[in-house]
Amino acid sequence: AHMLCFTSDVWEVDMPPGHRFPMSKYKKVRKAVQTHINDSEQQIQCDFRVSPLATFEQISTTHCTEYIQRYLSGQMTEAENRNIGFPWTLQHVNRTLSSTGGTVAAACDAYEEYIRRCNTLDLDVSDDQTDNAHLCWSAHIAGGTHHAFRDYGEGFCIFSDIAVAANVLLQKFPHQSSTADPTTKSKGIRRILIIDLDVHQGNGN
């Protein structure tokens, strides 16, 4: 089955000595996933790609533009950076943008593949009895920054990648009436369900 897996660990960040955030976990998880796929008896077709950097336009679907500009240009106050939990560095800006961009890319890829299958397999996606041939997924081995709010960050989270991805999808693929485009079986996205399995969930989302 088609699957893309985005990864952000190419953007390395030099953390201060003794910092408690385990930045190395992303590379370790990516390697573990690759090993599992290679060793699996199942035929898993998965391409690993470097997460793209989220654009200002994508992030502004969710976050305050003034907050975005101040973070990107290094104009955050010491108190704001302390609340986030990371010192501001250009390294971390790229890491943050890739963390959001990878989730956006995975979400868009999954839905675009869904559209392709619906059209090429001639599936009636409105039929509850349809098999799962139209179901698709992509992944991002990073992100989950669910403690970020619209105009400030906290808990090691600057931008809410999941919320940004959801808003980008809703804008890019808005729900259409059944007569809007008779050439496609996809009618766009009406709602998005976010399932947060973190032990304390995401107050930002």
Side-chain angles (χ1 to χ4, degrees):
H2 168 91
M3 176 184 167
L4 291 182
C5 194
F6 293 89
T7 177
S8 301
D9 61 74
V10 296
W11 299 101
E12 296 185 355
V13 178
D14 297 322
M15 302 296 288
H19 197 283
R20 65 191 181 94
F21 188 83
M23 190 65 72
S24 62
K25 68 180 180 179
Y26 297 106
K27 182 176 291 187
K28 292 178 181 178
V29 171
R30 189 253 304 162
K31 289 182 176 180
V33 171
Q34 289 175 319
T35 299
H36 175 74
I37 290 175
N38 292 334
D39 295 343
S40 175
E41 295 181 358
Q42 297 178 334
Q43 295 296 317
I44 304 175
Q45 298 177 0
C46 177
D47 294 329
F48 285 79
R49 296 185 182 179
V50 174
S51 300
L53 302 184
T55 66
F56 184 92
E57 290 72 23
Q58 289 173 337
I59 299 172
S60 62
T61 62
T62 305
H63 291 280
C64 171
T65 56
E66 191 257 344
Y67 167 59
I68 301 171
Q69 290 169 341
R70 288 195 306 109
Y71 175 73
L72 296 180
S73 59
Q75 296 178 357
M76 303 284 283
T77 67
E78 184 177 340
E80 286 176 311
N81 287 326
R82 188 166 54 248
N83 195 49
I84 289 171
F86 293 123
W88 187 93
T89 65
L90 187 57
Q91 278 185 326
H92 208 279
V93 169
N94 289 328
R95 178 65 181 77
T96 296
L97 293 177
S98 70
S99 184
T100 302
T103 303
V104 172
C108 289
D109 172 73
Y111 190 73
E112 288 166 356
E113 174 65 11
Y114 160 79
I115 293 175
R116 186 194 69 78
R117 291 189 189 185
C118 288
N119 292 330
T120 59
L121 300 178
D122 194 28
L123 298 174
D124 183 359
V125 297
S126 63
D127 183 1
D128 291 338
Q129 302 304 314
T130 299
D131 62 22
N132 292 331
H134 65 292
L135 299 180
C136 314
W137 63 286
S138 292
H140 184 207
I141 308 177
T145 48
H146 57 184
H147 294 302
F149 287 79
R150 180 177 180 272
D151 56 356
Y152 67 94
E154 65 179 35
F156 304 124
C157 302
I158 295 94
F159 303 131
S160 179
D161 64 302
I162 300 170
V164 170
N167 284 325
V168 168
L169 282 175
L170 290 169
Q171 286 191 4
K172 190 175 181 180
F173 306 102
H175 185 260
Q176 306 289 333
S177 67
S178 58
T179 59
D181 184 1
T183 64
T184 180
K185 290 186 177 288
S186 170
K187 304 308 176 188
I189 299 174
R190 188 195 304 269
R191 291 177 298 180
I192 293 176
L193 173 66
I194 296 175
I195 301 175
D196 193 331
L197 299 180
D198 195 289
V199 66
H200 49 47
Q201 302 182 341
N203 52 327
N205 283 337

